[in-house]
Amino acid sequence: MPPRIPHPDPGVPDVRGPLRYMWWLVRRQPVRVLRGSLFGTLWMVGLAVRPYLISRAIDDGLRKGDTAALLTWAGVIVLAGMLLAWLGINRHRTMTFVREDATARSAALLVRHVARVGAVLPRKLAAGEVATVGGTDIGRVSMVLTLTGPGVGAVIAYATVAFALWQVSPLLAVVVLLGVPAIAVAVGPVLRRLEKTESSYRRQQGILTTRAGDIVAGLRVLAGVGGRDLFARRYAERSRELRTEGYRVGALASWVEALTIGIPGLFLAAVVWLGARMAAEGTVTIGQLVAVYGYTAILVVPVWFLLEAGYDVIAGRVAARRILAVLTIEPDRVLGGATEPQAAPAQPADLFDRASGLSIPTGLMIGVAADDPADAVALADRLGRYTATGEPGDVTWGGVPITAIELATVRERILVADHDSYLFGGTLREILNRGGARDDTAVRQALYAASAEDVADSVSDGLDTTFEPRARTLSGGQRQRVRLARALLAEPEVLILIDPTSAVDAHTEARIADRLRTHRAGRTTILLATSPLLLGRADVVAYLKDGRVAAEGTHADLLAGESGYRQLVARGSEPDTATATTGEISA
Amino acid sequence: MTTTRLPVADKRTVRQAAAALLRKEKRAVAIILALHVVGAVAGLAGPALVGRIVDRVTAGDGPSAVDKLALAIAGCVIIQVLFARFAQYYGHRLGERSVARLREDFVGRTLALPVSAVERAGTGDLATRSSVDVAAVGIAVRDVVPVVIISSLQLTLLFAAIFVLHPLLGLAGFAGLPTTIAVSRWYLRRATSAYLAEGAAVAELTEELTTTAEGARTTEALRLADERIARGVDRVGRQWRARRATLALRSVFFPAVESSYALPIATILVAGGYFYHHGWVTLGDVVAAALYLQQAIDPLDRLLQWMEQAQRGLASFARVLGVGLVPPEPRGATARISGRELVVRGASFSYPGGHDVLHDVHLDVRPGERLAIVGPSGAGKSTLARLLAGIDAPRTGSVSIGGHAVTEIDPAERRRRIALVTQEHHVFIGSLRDNLAFAAPGATDAAMLDALLAVGADWYADLPDGLDTLLGDGARQLGTADAQQLALARLVLADPHTLILDEATAALDPTTARRTEQALGAVLSGRTVIAIAHRLNTAHDADRVAVMENGRITELGSHHELVTADGAYASLWRSWHGSAA
């Protein structure tokens, strides 16, 4: 029976260890797993039936010239073939369901956890790691579950063949039953070594593929500055290195492939020889000789299966461990040393940052110009409660240490809009409008305030146009304005904008500055920027020198009174400094 | 901009290309096939010898009679092993050689593509071809084609062997064939698209997880967790549906094929019984034929399993070849240029399928001057930059340098003289040295360090291995600002006489941008610099400023002149540096 995917609730996994995790995945679907074991067993035992039937057709029908018996056995062979096919597909379907149930469950757990764990994730894990976990590890773990179906079947099939062989001849039975696994165990490691060589080749091949993609991605750069021949030559060199490596793999692989046919072939010859001598002596019949030949060939299936399954378990354990590494990441639950959680201020309240001495009154647009951009980012992190370090009371909100307030409340009411915040893929509407909470009018208003109407207008489907993650098809300026519109649309009580217009042209920047003021009227907005166009529109501007507030006032006041501030934000209007540096300006 | 996808080769072109590949390797192909035939024939001896053993035993010969036959089986196995090994080895080498040739060809052709063609098609299409398709062709040539050839060969020989035993037995062996062929055709028509969809669904889920991880901070800041989860769960559902679709195909294909394996065996036994009864064949013949059929299951299985892959490889091959169908960038009539003055006369331009974005633009750029172009987004600044750099030709009018149309100049020469640096920068995988050297082959380490210094790339000091530090995907990632400085350093090394900077410092923070531009200005003194900028201090520093609006140049003059003229630029300038000035 197919599982219901996606699961409404994937459940609470056992994260105490990789094997426990895999066992948990099995326990979620006991009936299906039992069905899988049943079909797996019947199918694999069924494989051994055909040689038996053929032997009966030869012995009872052909040799004795008994047409009725021959026709009966032939009919049984056809029917058994159909039954076997039916068992086979049921086994395959059930096991696919078992694996997919596990895959969907692991994926759902990861999706949920990665989405909820939040800002702490990049510090604890590279994004590439998550890609590996999602791309390969989930599948590897699910693969282990195959063991529950055909794995059980393989053991039973082996026993069945053993019984059948014993009926023919105990001596042959012992030779075959020990010989086949012995060969599998002998050939296995050689295959593994080949796989390792192959995987090193594939890795190199992957690197070469990446190189080709790299060249494609940089085509425009090469078109701008030249250097195409060099890249073509270098790629060709690498390609030839890989070819040489490929030859080496080929030399080994061809031996392995030939021997994997040859060793079982020689063993089969030995078994036939033994059986034939017995047949000649009259200990076994001709049909039985043919059956032994068939059994020996068939026995390879369960034996190989078990061997492969063993390796799957090893790989699956490693993969499960990596999945657990992601699932066990915990968000920083730092209360900053505060003893008691406290309630957030009920009304909009002033913010105060001790490190810089900056205090932010409610309802105003505050400009902060920091002489070191890193100080501005650090300030935003403190105000938005993204830093796990520090003392309680470093930042207070209406007098309450911000670290003592429930994190969800802080996130809801204070938004730090990073300069390079992430743009997820989806339609423009989805990108802007989280959870579809706002109507199109609000979306358009936000686009207008961010002077980003052109983004929706320039694309064919307007708000329904889809973008890839990071929206690389948009220009840098367009992306920045989309980010701004998104932050505005969230309508936070306190909005902290870091360099929101650094990539847009002056005309647009002027427009944004005006519209931003109107849009955020009555609410607290903190602009961390050095652009005079933006700072000129702020109610108050704080000039941060070495991380401390050095002066406060309107943009005009600071321009007039603070030479450091003037240097920082409006150097272009300072003919002296400009001339001194370039020596070419005649202002 | 509308995208026109790159062409895909038609069936005939694919066939011709495949034939050409094989023609180059005629001798190797012949040797490999011969080796395989010998190996496979030796492999066929097994069942035949078992049949002979059956006949001997039936005839009542003693145990010693079977010893030699059993030994012969072992001998045949050894022959099979040896021949198969060398056939595989040479086949492997052939595949490896062909794949290398194909991918080098592909990259060569890609590099020769005109930029405009790449841009029209979008780099996405090309990126897919370079990764997915080249890899698929590689797998096909190296792994799939050999399996298909060997399996077909084995099957042919197996059936031939049954025919040799007795033609009538051979005919009986074909009993299962019609259903197998019919079902396979049904399956192959549907499989490729279904498996591609499955692959895409898997990739989508992985991408969803990756983006959620990459955007973890944004997810937390904007409280997007529920939305991310909903999307992720949706992707889980899609992957499941895609997997069910392929499972549905297999649910028809597998049982149909598997159940048809029994039919020929039963037919041969019944027919063989009849023939044996009439004395046309021996009992051993029938046993051997039945064993051959049993032995045929394995290659048939493999053939059917790989057919789908082979088909996919063929489709990828068509896309890889398609890149070669785009006419490469023309060599250009003018090999050398002497003059430096850039002249635009009455240039209009439209992107394919769109209306004009430049109207009758006239501009004389004096050698050695710094010209800033400012204006609102969409005014046509970047388009003008592309015309100046010779990437596109104007629809009407002309753009010339030293009296030659820019697009007529040999591309290599043109890039050496006129460089275009845009916001779009790219750090190539490789060392920092590799990333600089291609702009100026033969540049010394000292020159590279100077160039980095000139653009204010102070991050160089933090690199663990200096110029040997590996950069790019999978190694050290440069931030956007650092990457931009790297692009500028390349420019300093390339040392063209004319530079077009299209928002080349937009990613730097305002302070650093200003510093970088000024440092760059000192190094590039004497060069013609055309800078498109959104920061007005760039305009302030320039010799002349051109203001663009709606595809036209509306104001042109020095900063001072324009401020005095009190037009659009002047008002912008006033608002830009605050009411105080």
Side-chain angles (χ1 to χ4, degrees), chain B residues 54-336:
Chain B
V54 170
D55 286 344
R56 285 295 183 82
V57 172
T58 323
D61 291 357
S64 61
V66 299
D67 289 355
K68 259 189 238 157
L69 286 168
L71 204 63
I73 295 180
C76 284
V77 169
I78 289 169
I79 293 173
Q80 188 191 4
V81 165
L82 287 177
F83 277 86
R85 191 271 155 173
F86 284 97
Q88 301 254 15
Y89 178 53
Y90 293 131
H92 199 108
R93 285 181 71 105
L94 170 63
E96 203 64 55
R97 253 193 326 267
S98 311
V99 173
R101 210 174 281 143
L102 275 170
R103 66 183 169 229
E104 285 160 33
D105 247 30
F106 173 81
V107 166
R109 281 172 177 168
T110 303
L111 279 165
L113 285 176
V115 193
S116 49
V118 175
E119 286 179 340
R120 267 199 302 282
T123 37
D125 185 16
L126 202 52
T128 314
R129 292 185 196 213
S130 78
S131 55
V132 180
D133 290 328
V134 170
V137 173
I139 291 172
V141 173
R142 196 170 156 268
D143 304 334
V144 183
V145 172
V147 173
V148 169
I149 290 177
I150 297 165
S151 301
S152 314
L153 201 67
Q154 282 174 341
L155 279 175
T156 315
L157 291 172
L158 276 168
F159 278 97
I162 303 178
F163 267 97
V164 169
L165 285 171
H166 199 281
L168 286 173
L169 284 180
L171 280 180
F174 285 130
L177 215 55
T179 35
T180 308
I181 290 175
V183 176
S184 304
R185 285 175 62 100
W186 177 89
Y187 175 75
L188 283 177
R189 263 202 301 277
R190 290 157 181 83
T192 299
S193 63
Y195 282 104
L196 283 180
E198 183 185 309
V202 174
E204 265 185 27
L205 175 58
T206 309
E207 188 186 88
E208 191 56 41
L209 266 172
T210 316
T211 48
T212 304
E214 281 173 345
R217 185 174 155 117
T218 304
T219 303
E220 183 174 340
L222 287 162
R223 294 179 298 135
L224 295 171
D226 290 341
E227 205 181 314
R228 297 321 308 157
I229 292 171
R231 276 183 76 94
V233 168
D234 174 63
R235 295 294 185 274
V236 173
R238 280 199 213 185
Q239 173 177 307
W240 165 239
R241 281 195 295 282
R243 290 238 162 104
R244 285 210 76 173
T246 57
L247 179 62
L249 289 179
R250 292 197 298 275
S251 297
V252 174
F253 181 59
F254 282 0
V257 168
E258 223 179 308
S259 56
S260 67
Y261 290 155
L263 198 61
I265 296 178
T267 314
I268 273 220
L269 286 173
V270 172
Y274 182 75
F275 303 155
Y276 175 57
H277 189 68
H278 285 82
W280 300 339
V281 295
T282 67
L283 184 60
D285 290 341
V286 183
V287 169
L291 290 182
Y292 278 138
L293 284 175
Q294 184 84 353
Q295 203 168 319
I297 292 177
D298 188 44
L300 193 59
D301 246 355
R302 254 184 302 158
L303 190 64
L304 292 172
Q305 256 174 39
W306 289 80
M307 273 305 236
E308 195 272 315
Q309 284 255 29
Q311 188 173 274
R312 220 185 303 176
L314 218 55
S316 286
F317 192 32
R319 281 194 291 274
V320 167
L321 289 175
V323 172
L325 298 179
V326 181
E329 194 172 38
R331 287 295 308 277
T334 316
R336 298 200 71 85

Side-chain angles (χ1 to χ4, degrees), chain B residues 201-543:
Chain B
V202 174
E204 265 185 27
L205 175 58
T206 309
E207 188 186 88
E208 191 56 41
L209 266 172
T210 316
T211 48
T212 304
E214 281 173 345
R217 185 174 155 117
T218 304
T219 303
E220 183 174 340
L222 287 162
R223 294 179 298 135
L224 295 171
D226 290 341
E227 205 181 314
R228 297 321 308 157
I229 292 171
R231 276 183 76 94
V233 168
D234 174 63
R235 295 294 185 274
V236 173
R238 280 199 213 185
Q239 173 177 307
W240 165 239
R241 281 195 295 282
R243 290 238 162 104
R244 285 210 76 173
T246 57
L247 179 62
L249 289 179
R250 292 197 298 275
S251 297
V252 174
F253 181 59
F254 282 0
V257 168
E258 223 179 308
S259 56
S260 67
Y261 290 155
L263 198 61
I265 296 178
T267 314
I268 273 220
L269 286 173
V270 172
Y274 182 75
F275 303 155
Y276 175 57
H277 189 68
H278 285 82
W280 300 339
V281 295
T282 67
L283 184 60
D285 290 341
V286 183
V287 169
L291 290 182
Y292 278 138
L293 284 175
Q294 184 84 353
Q295 203 168 319
I297 292 177
D298 188 44
L300 193 59
D301 246 355
R302 254 184 302 158
L303 190 64
L304 292 172
Q305 256 174 39
W306 289 80
M307 273 305 236
E308 195 272 315
Q309 284 255 29
Q311 188 173 274
R312 220 185 303 176
L314 218 55
S316 286
F317 192 32
R319 281 194 291 274
V320 167
L321 289 175
V323 172
L325 298 179
V326 181
E329 194 172 38
R331 287 295 308 277
T334 316
R336 298 200 71 85
I337 45 172
S338 41
R340 286 175 56 183
E341 51 291 332
L342 258 174
V343 179
V344 183
R345 282 283 166 270
S348 301
F349 184 79
S350 62
Y351 289 103
H355 44 81
D356 275 5
V357 287
L358 285 185
H359 311 276
D360 191 28
V361 172
H362 293 265
L363 182 67
D364 288 84
V365 187
R366 303 168 196 148
E369 89 164 324
R370 296 143 160 275
L371 175 73
I373 303 179
V374 297
S377 306
K381 300 179 304 253
S382 295
T383 307
L384 179 58
R386 292 164 61 86
L387 294 194
L388 290 172
I391 289 177
D392 289 311
R395 192 176 58 75
T396 60
S398 68
V399 179
S400 60
I401 187 158
H404 301 285
V406 197
T407 44
E408 297 286 303
I409 302 164
D410 185 63
E413 167 77 2
R414 188 175 68 222
R415 283 185 207 110
R416 219 146 52 81
R417 303 297 178 199
I418 313 173
L420 170 70
V421 174
T422 64
Q423 256 189 75
E424 208 180 314
H425 36 67
H426 181 75
V427 178
F428 289 95
I429 300 171
S431 65
L432 175 58
R433 186 181 285 106
D434 293 341
N435 260 291
L436 290 166
F438 72 86
T444 61
D445 282 9
M448 292 184 193
L449 291 181
D450 284 346
L452 286 170
L453 204 67
V455 297
D458 42 19
W459 42 266
Y460 172 78
D462 303 332
L463 296 183
D465 303 314
L467 286 174
D468 293 315
T469 309
L470 292 179
L471 303 176
D473 220 14
R476 191 188 180 90
Q477 297 274 8
L478 287 187
T480 323
D482 299 351
Q484 205 155 60
Q485 285 175 328
L486 178 63
L488 291 171
R490 281 179 197 140
L491 198 59
V492 172
L493 278 174
D495 196 26
H497 61 53
T498 302
L499 287 83
I500 304 166
L501 307 174
D502 185 0
E503 299 278 18
T505 57
L508 304 181
D509 74 76
T511 317
T512 315
R514 190 78 202 287
R515 219 174 42 231
T516 303
E517 276 174 25
Q518 286 174 346
L520 198 59
V523 180
L524 297 174
S525 69
R527 313 290 185 280
T528 311
V529 179
I530 299 158
I532 294 171
H534 66 265
R535 291 194 186 93
L536 288 192
N537 46 22
T538 308
H540 176 275
D541 294 352
D543 298 327

Side-chain angles (χ1 to χ4, degrees), chain A residues 341-361:
Chain A
Q342 294 182 44
Q347 297 296 317
D350 296 354
L351 277 160
F352 175 71
D353 173 55
R354 190 154 67 191
S356 61
L358 179 70
S359 105
I360 295 139

